[in-house]
Coordinates of all heavy atoms in Angstrom, one line a residue:
Q1 N 11.8 -10.4 -10.1 CA 10.4 -10.7 -10.0 C 9.9 -10.3 -8.6 O 8.8 -9.7 -8.5 CB 10.1 -12.1 -10.3 CG 8.7 -12.6 -10.2 CD 8.4 -14.1 -10.4 OE1 9.4 -14.8 -10.6 NE2 7.2 -14.5 -10.3
A2 N 10.8 -10.6 -7.6 CA 10.3 -10.3 -6.2 C 10.2 -8.8 -6.1 O 9.3 -8.2 -5.4 CB 11.4 -10.8 -5.3
G3 N 11.2 -8.0 -6.8 CA 11.1 -6.5 -6.6 C 9.8 -5.9 -7.2 O 9.2 -5.1 -6.5
Q4 N 9.4 -6.5 -8.3 CA 8.2 -5.9 -9.0 C 7.0 -6.3 -8.2 O 6.1 -5.4 -7.9 CB 8.0 -6.5 -10.4 CG 6.9 -5.9 -11.2 CD 7.0 -4.4 -11.3 OE1 8.0 -3.8 -11.7 NE2 5.9 -3.7 -10.9
Q5 N 6.9 -7.5 -7.7 CA 5.8 -7.9 -6.9 C 5.8 -7.1 -5.5 O 4.7 -6.8 -5.0 CB 5.9 -9.4 -6.6 CG 5.6 -10.3 -7.7 CD 5.8 -11.8 -7.4 OE1 6.4 -12.1 -6.4 NE2 5.3 -12.6 -8.4
S6 N 6.9 -6.8 -5.0 CA 7.0 -6.0 -3.7 C 6.6 -4.6 -3.9 O 6.0 -4.0 -3.1 CB 8.4 -6.1 -3.2 OG 8.8 -7.4 -2.9
I7 N 6.9 -4.1 -5.1 CA 6.5 -2.7 -5.4 C 4.9 -2.7 -5.5 O 4.2 -1.7 -4.9 CB 7.1 -2.2 -6.7 CG1 8.6 -1.9 -6.6 CG2 6.4 -0.9 -7.2 CD1 9.3 -1.6 -7.9
D8 N 4.4 -3.7 -6.2 CA 2.9 -3.7 -6.3 C 2.2 -3.9 -4.9 O 1.2 -3.3 -4.6 CB 2.5 -4.8 -7.3 CG 2.9 -4.7 -8.7 OD1 3.2 -3.5 -9.0 OD2 3.1 -5.6 -9.4
F9 N 2.8 -4.7 -4.1 CA 2.4 -5.0 -2.8 C 2.4 -3.7 -1.9 O 1.4 -3.4 -1.2 CB 3.2 -6.1 -2.1 CG 2.8 -6.3 -0.6 CD1 1.7 -7.0 -0.3 CD2 3.6 -5.7 0.3 CE1 1.4 -7.2 1.1 CE2 3.3 -5.9 1.7 CZ 2.1 -6.7 2.0
A10 N 3.5 -2.9 -2.0 CA 3.6 -1.7 -1.3 C 2.5 -0.6 -1.6 O 1.9 0.0 -0.8 CB 5.0 -1.1 -1.4
Y11 N 2.3 -0.6 -3.0 CA 1.3 0.3 -3.4 C -0.1 -0.1 -3.0 O -0.9 0.6 -2.6 CB 1.3 0.5 -5.0 CG 2.3 1.4 -5.5 CD1 3.3 1.0 -6.3 CD2 2.2 2.8 -5.2 CE1 4.3 1.9 -6.8 CE2 3.1 3.7 -5.6 CZ 4.2 3.2 -6.5 OH 5.1 4.1 -7.0
D12 N -0.3 -1.4 -3.0 CA -1.6 -1.9 -2.5 C -1.8 -1.6 -1.1 O -3.0 -1.3 -0.7 CB -1.7 -3.4 -2.8 CG -1.9 -3.8 -4.2 OD1 -2.2 -3.0 -5.0 OD2 -1.5 -5.0 -4.5
V13 N -0.8 -1.7 -0.3 CA -0.9 -1.5 1.2 C -1.3 0.0 1.4 O -2.3 0.3 2.2 CB 0.4 -1.8 2.0 CG1 0.4 -1.2 3.3 CG2 0.6 -3.3 2.0
V14 N -0.7 0.9 0.7 CA -0.9 2.4 0.9 C -2.3 2.7 0.3 O -3.1 3.4 1.1 CB 0.2 3.2 0.2 CG1 -0.2 4.6 0.3 CG2 1.5 3.0 0.9
F15 N -2.6 2.2 -0.8 CA -3.9 2.6 -1.4 C -5.1 1.9 -0.8 O -6.3 2.5 -0.7 CB -3.9 2.3 -3.0 CG -3.2 3.3 -3.7 CD1 -2.0 3.0 -4.3 CD2 -3.6 4.6 -3.9 CE1 -1.2 3.9 -5.0 CE2 -2.8 5.6 -4.6 CZ -1.7 5.2 -5.2
N16 N -4.9 0.7 -0.3 CA -6.1 0.0 0.3 C -6.3 0.3 1.8 O -7.4 0.2 2.4 CB -5.8 -1.6 0.1 CG -5.9 -2.0 -1.3 OD1 -6.7 -1.4 -2.1 ND2 -5.3 -3.1 -1.6
Y17 N -5.1 0.7 2.5 CA -5.2 0.9 3.9 C -4.9 2.4 4.3 O -4.7 2.7 5.4 CB -4.2 0.1 4.6 CG -4.5 -1.4 4.5 CD1 -3.9 -2.2 3.5 CD2 -5.5 -2.0 5.4 CE1 -4.1 -3.5 3.4 CE2 -5.8 -3.4 5.2 CZ -5.1 -4.1 4.3 OH -5.4 -5.5 4.1
W18 N -5.0 3.3 3.3 CA -4.8 4.7 3.6 C -5.8 5.3 4.6 O -5.4 6.1 5.4 CB -4.8 5.6 2.3 CG -6.2 5.7 1.6 CD1 -6.6 5.0 0.6 CD2 -7.1 6.7 1.9 NE1 -7.8 5.4 0.2 CE2 -8.2 6.5 1.0 CE3 -7.3 7.7 2.9 CZ2 -9.4 7.2 1.1 CZ3 -8.4 8.5 2.9 CH2 -9.5 8.2 2.0
P19 N -7.1 4.8 4.7 CA -8.0 5.3 5.7 C -7.5 5.0 7.1 O -7.5 5.8 8.0 CB -9.3 4.6 5.4 CG -9.3 4.3 4.0 CD -7.9 3.9 3.7
A20 N -6.9 3.7 7.2 CA -6.4 3.3 8.5 C -5.1 4.1 8.9 O -4.9 4.5 10.0 CB -6.0 1.8 8.5
I21 N -4.3 4.4 7.9 CA -3.1 5.1 8.1 C -3.4 6.5 8.6 O -2.9 7.0 9.6 CB -2.2 5.2 6.8 CG1 -1.7 3.8 6.4 CG2 -1.0 6.1 6.9 CD1 -1.0 3.7 5.0
F22 N -4.3 7.2 7.9 CA -4.8 8.6 8.2 C -5.5 8.6 9.6 O -5.4 9.5 10.3 CB -5.6 9.1 7.1 CG -4.8 9.8 6.0 CD1 -3.9 9.0 5.2 CD2 -4.9 11.1 5.7 CE1 -3.1 9.5 4.2 CE2 -4.1 11.6 4.7 CZ -3.2 10.9 3.9
A23 N -6.2 7.5 9.9 CA -6.9 7.4 11.2 C -5.9 7.4 12.3 O -6.1 8.0 13.4 CB -7.8 6.2 11.2
V24 N -4.8 6.6 12.1 CA -3.7 6.5 13.1 C -3.1 7.9 13.3 O -2.8 8.4 14.5 CB -2.7 5.4 12.8 CG1 -1.5 5.5 13.7 CG2 -3.3 4.1 12.8
I25 N -2.8 8.6 12.2 CA -2.2 9.9 12.2 C -3.2 10.9 13.0 O -2.7 11.7 13.8 CB -2.0 10.4 10.8 CG1 -0.9 9.6 10.1 CG2 -1.5 11.9 10.9 CD1 -0.7 9.9 8.7

């Protein structure tokens, strides 16, 4: 259960914060 929730969390981080990630880059 922790693995599936962590996968969802990781995707949420990338998709929700991609503008910030690309801004830092």
Side-chain angles (χ1 to χ4, degrees):
Q1 181 181 1
Q4 185 58 52
Q5 291 177 345
S6 298
I7 290 174
D8 295 338
F9 174 78
Y11 277 118
D12 287 341
V13 169
V14 173
F15 284 110
N16 292 333
Y17 294 97
W18 69 264
I21 296 171
F22 277 59
V24 171
I25 294 171

